[in-house]
Amino acid sequence: KNEVEQSPQNLTAQEGEFITINCSYSVGISALHWLQQHPGGGIVSLFMLSSGKKKHGRLIATINIQEKHSSLHITASHPRDSAVYICAGSLGGSQGNLIFGKGTKLSVKP
Amino acid sequence: EAQVTQNPRYLITVTGKKLTVTCSQNMNHEYMSWYRQDPGLGLRQIYYSMNVEVTDKGDVPEGYKVSRKEKRNFPLILESPSPNQTSLYFCASSSGQAYTEAFFGQGTRLTVV
């Protein structure tokens, strides 16, 4: 069964802290997406990874294909980073279809 | 600007009154999909389309219909809405090719009373 598991479910941090959100996925998933959803807002794609590491500003995403594991890191966290972060896997044979994790609700306190 | 546009953003309706949520993308994407998001359950796929006139059921298709007559549009139809369809709905599109980004609409919050 194709699955994506995310942890933690909820995360509270102080401003400035380094944050890590983890995602494990099953065989059959060929690429991993990290998405961001602000309260009351739409969903924005942050990264799409099939190997290695990507960086955008204070956000870093890594993927380990052998271990089927991906992480999203936020350096120097800020209250505006407060959002739900969702990882989603693309199925190898059907690139459009996504399998979603349940999301991690991040709250960064000033 | 590349975007997926959903309308309406908010909708309150009564049980049984047919409604349509529209979705349009301006990126010439072949793949489009509808999801619903519920607390504790995350995002679940309702229907998807690989191209014009090609649609298929996702994980939770009961009570929904879709059509794909043009590449850019993928409306979600609720013929007879019920309270258990109260949810947050998202439309998404991608090229459908390997290792490409998915684009999401702003969401439609539907309440069925």
Side-chain angles (χ1 to χ4, degrees):
Chain A
K1 184 182 174 186
N2 298 304
E3 285 184 334
V4 172
E5 301 273 350
Q6 236 180 292
S7 63
Q9 263 190 305
N10 293 284
L11 182 56
T12 300
Q14 287 298 128
E15 183 173 356
E17 285 185 2
F18 181 84
I19 288 162
T20 296
I21 300 170
N22 295 300
C23 183
S24 298
Y25 58 93
S26 61
V27 172
I29 287 173
S30 60
L32 216 291
H33 302 249
W34 281 101
L35 311 170
Q36 181 190 57
Q37 183 179 22
H38 281 285
I43 296 172
V44 174
S45 177
L46 298 174
F47 297 103
M48 195 284 301
L49 289 161
S50 57
S51 64
K53 175 179 173 179
K54 287 189 178 179
K55 184 174 190 286
H56 185 257
R58 294 180 295 105
L59 300 177
I60 303 166
T62 63
I63 189 168
N64 184 317
I65 297 167
Q66 284 73 32
E67 295 186 6
K68 295 182 179 43
H69 181 268
S70 177
S71 294
L72 176 68
H73 306 285
I74 304 175
T75 62
S77 60
H78 190 276
R80 65 174 174 266
D81 296 325
S82 297
V84 175
Y85 293 84
I86 303 167
C87 70
S90 292
L91 294 175
S94 177
Q95 299 301 336
N97 281 357
L98 296 175
I99 306 293
F100 296 90
K102 294 276 172 66
T104 295
K105 185 174 182 181
L106 170 66
S107 178
V108 182
K109 306 291 186 192
Chain B
E1 182 192 350
Q3 60 184 5
V4 177
T5 304
Q6 278 180 244
N7 279 296
R9 291 287 312 276
Y10 302 92
L11 180 59
I12 301 175
T13 190
V14 296
T15 300
K17 185 177 182 183
K18 181 180 178 179
L19 67 91
T20 299
V21 184
T22 63
C23 175
S24 181
Q25 50 93 3
N26 63 359
M27 295 164 279
N28 201 38
H29 282 164
E30 293 187 346
Y31 179 90
M32 297 184 76
S33 183
W34 276 103
Y35 303 94
R36 62 177 289 174
Q37 186 180 38
D38 301 289
L41 298 176
L43 285 150
R44 294 179 293 167
Q45 190 178 53
I46 303 170
Y47 268 95
Y48 66 96
S49 169
M50 302 291 279
N51 213 326
V52 175
E53 302 290 4
V54 181
T55 62
D56 208 348
K57 296 176 182 178
D59 298 318
V60 288
E62 293 79 19
Y64 304 95
K65 281 176 56 176
V66 293
S67 70
R68 187 93 181 269
K69 293 185 169 57
E70 307 161 281
K71 203 169 189 179
R72 63 183 293 124
N73 295 322
F74 190 46
L76 179 70
I77 303 154
L78 285 72
E79 294 270 2
S80 183
S82 62
N84 65 11
Q85 292 178 298
T86 292
S87 187
L88 180 57
Y89 291 86
F90 287 98
C91 179
S93 77
S94 72
S95 68
Q97 297 177 10
Y99 314 123
T100 57
E101 185 181 357
F103 292 80
F104 289 81
Q106 283 296 99
T108 295
R109 186 166 292 281
L110 173 66
T111 302
V112 184
V113 298

